[in-house]
Amino acid sequence: MAKTLLGIDIGTESLKLMLISGTQIKKTAIAPMPRNLVQNGAITSKETLAELIRTTMKTHDIRCRQAAVSMNSRAIFVRRVTMPLMNEAQLLYNLPYEFRDYITGELEQYVFDYAMITTPEALAQQEQNVQANPDAEQRYTMDLLAVAVSAELMESLRETIRMAGMKLVKAAPVVNSLLPLIDRLNSIQQPAVKEYAVLDLGSSSVRLYMFRETEYMTSRVIETGLSALEEMIAEAYHVDTHLAHTYLLNNHENCQYHEACMELYQQIAVEVMRVLNFYLFSNRDSELHDVWVYGGGAAIVPLMEALRGQLDAVLHSAAELYGQTIADEENAAFVQAYGITQD
């Protein structure tokens, strides 16, 4: 029997819920987030968020007891690291020290986890190489996707889900939500695409994730997000930012094409281009030519036009990440909520 999970994506501007049975989408729901309920990925009121989740589930007749949450916070750190081969106990002891130059506060304030990138086959190949060249200076190594998460954030999230009437069975960073979808897309691409970039045009920031086949490579954050557009529209139309958000979504009086907004689109597009160019420069053998786009900005036509004008890459809708059998443009915004439910 297929496992039923509620995938949850807690964004700055919206809450996205997707009820999944196995790989099948059963129901979706989206609700606006109260302003400042999430700040830099931190939940400012567990009670308010829990009530919002409960209310949204009731409104859309969603029933589920187990939740999986895609986490996007400045209190989460994701690194691809290479370490000497060691057992699990040794790894869990040494892993925190891989983050000592990245996190603030004491290591004891974080919880750490990892996923193996190096396959058993690759380890076996290393052993063969050592046996074939016993005099060479070689050592066994393993590549990991390592994660450090604030313990306070994890406890806050677990308590929020409990108050919403569910049990938190899975919580992971955005990259872990995308990896199963990249793996699936990689298996159906004909001819095979070797590299993928996934672009999240979000409210507080723009994030770009790079993958090679089914392996996570790196990610970059551009601090300018759609909230900057709302501020420009608020100033141009003499309204508050809450109303400016509605104006932006509905292109009120063609506000998406306001001169100030058009300049910001170009700024964002140039920043994304620079990130891609730096990745290509750092990986000379790269064949990255495709970018899958989601987030609120994917619905803003002039922003997408600016990106197409600047990037030497083909832009795709993130709906393709669901797979050919369930691809649906309306579900593109739920990529993280769907991906976090997949193994």
Side-chain angles (χ1 to χ4, degrees):
M1 186 181 218
K3 180 170 61 176
T4 299
L5 286 175
L6 183 66
I8 303 178
D9 175 6
I10 304 169
T12 304
E13 296 289 345
S14 64
L15 170 72
K16 304 174 190 70
L17 308 179
M18 180 174 271
L19 185 64
I20 306 294
S21 179
T23 61
Q24 296 303 307
I25 300 170
K26 296 300 183 180
K27 291 184 179 180
T28 61
I30 188 167
M33 292 284 286
R35 193 160 291 275
N36 298 323
L37 181 55
V38 173
Q39 294 183 330
N40 294 327
I43 302 167
T44 58
S45 172
K46 298 188 293 290
E47 295 79 8
T48 302
L49 180 54
E51 178 61 26
L52 178 61
I53 293 173
R54 283 199 307 268
T55 301
T56 305
M57 291 177 67
K58 183 177 180 180
T59 300
H60 294 269
D61 193 26
I62 295 175
R63 295 181 177 87
C64 191
R65 301 298 297 174
Q66 297 185 317
V69 179
S70 177
M71 300 188 298
N72 189 356
S73 169
R74 295 181 188 276
I76 301 172
F77 301 87
V78 180
R79 294 193 62 210
R80 178 176 173 142
V81 299
T82 300
M83 301 180 69
L85 185 63
M86 59 185 73
N87 61 38
E88 185 174 11
Q90 293 170 325
L91 177 57
L92 291 176
Y93 177 81
N94 286 281
L95 197 58
Y97 298 99
E98 295 294 324
F99 291 92
R100 60 186 180 275
D101 295 330
Y102 296 87
I103 64 178
T104 57
E106 300 297 325
L107 294 177
E108 291 76 13
Q109 295 174 323
Y110 290 79
V111 293
F112 301 88
D113 204 352
Y114 68 94
M116 287 289 294
I117 295 175
T118 302
T119 64
E121 293 77 13
L123 289 175
Q125 183 61 52
Q126 288 187 51
E127 184 176 4
Q128 290 180 14
N129 292 341
V130 171
Q131 291 176 349
N133 300 279
D135 296 330
E137 293 186 5
Q138 301 184 58
R139 63 173 183 168
Y140 297 104
T141 61
M142 55 186 182
D143 289 335
L144 309 169
L145 184 61
V147 179
V149 182
S150 162
E152 182 181 1
L153 172 64
M154 281 300 303
E155 184 55 35
S156 177
L157 185 60
R158 188 176 291 108
E159 180 65 11
T160 298
I161 298 302
R162 186 195 65 78
M163 289 190 292
M166 294 178 289
K167 179 182 179 181
L168 180 66
V169 297
K170 184 179 181 181
V174 173
V175 64
N176 293 79
S177 302
L178 299 176
L179 272 167
L181 307 185
I182 293 296
D183 188 21
R184 184 177 304 167
L185 184 65
N186 189 70
S187 68
I188 64 176
Q189 287 290 335
Q190 296 295 331
V193 175
K194 295 301 181 184
E195 288 180 276
Y196 309 83
V198 181
L199 179 63
D200 176 9
L201 299 173
S203 175
S204 60
S205 62
V206 171
R207 295 173 182 267
L208 193 62
Y209 305 88
M210 272 72 80
F211 302 85
R212 177 169 292 181
E213 295 187 345
T214 60
E215 294 183 10
Y216 167 70
M217 299 299 290
T218 187
S219 61
R220 292 291 182 271
V221 178
I222 299 168
E223 297 297 342
T224 304
L226 299 187
S227 58
L229 287 173
E230 295 172 4
E231 293 173 3
M232 290 179 173
I233 292 172
E235 182 177 353
Y237 288 82
H238 307 291
V239 297
D240 61 30
T241 52
H242 181 73
L243 186 56
H245 175 69
T246 303
Y247 278 20
L248 177 62
L249 292 180
N250 297 290
N251 194 24
H252 177 72
E253 295 184 1
N254 215 31
C255 66
Q256 291 182 2
Y257 290 85
H258 189 278
E259 181 180 356
C261 293
M262 296 296 286
E263 291 179 359
L264 186 58
Y265 301 146
Q266 287 299 322
Q267 177 185 333
I268 292 174
V270 168
E271 289 299 317
V272 174
M273 177 189 68
R274 287 174 176 168
V275 170
L276 283 175
N277 285 347
F278 180 78
Y279 174 80
L280 294 171
F281 176 79
S282 303
N283 299 270
R284 296 300 181 90
D285 61 339
S286 174
E287 297 179 1
L288 180 59
H289 302 298
D290 297 86
V291 179
W292 281 260
V293 187
Y294 71 102
I300 300 176
V301 174
L303 173 55
M304 295 300 293
E305 291 174 344
L307 288 167
R308 290 189 179 94
Q310 288 288 345
L311 304 182
D312 184 20
V314 179
L315 300 188
H316 305 261
S317 168
E320 295 181 15
L321 296 176
Y322 290 95
Q324 294 175 336
T325 58
I326 57 173
D328 185 340
E329 194 61 39
E330 292 183 2
N331 288 333
F334 295 86
V335 164
Q336 292 176 199
Y338 179 74
I340 194 62
T341 67
Q342 304 301 296
D343 296 326

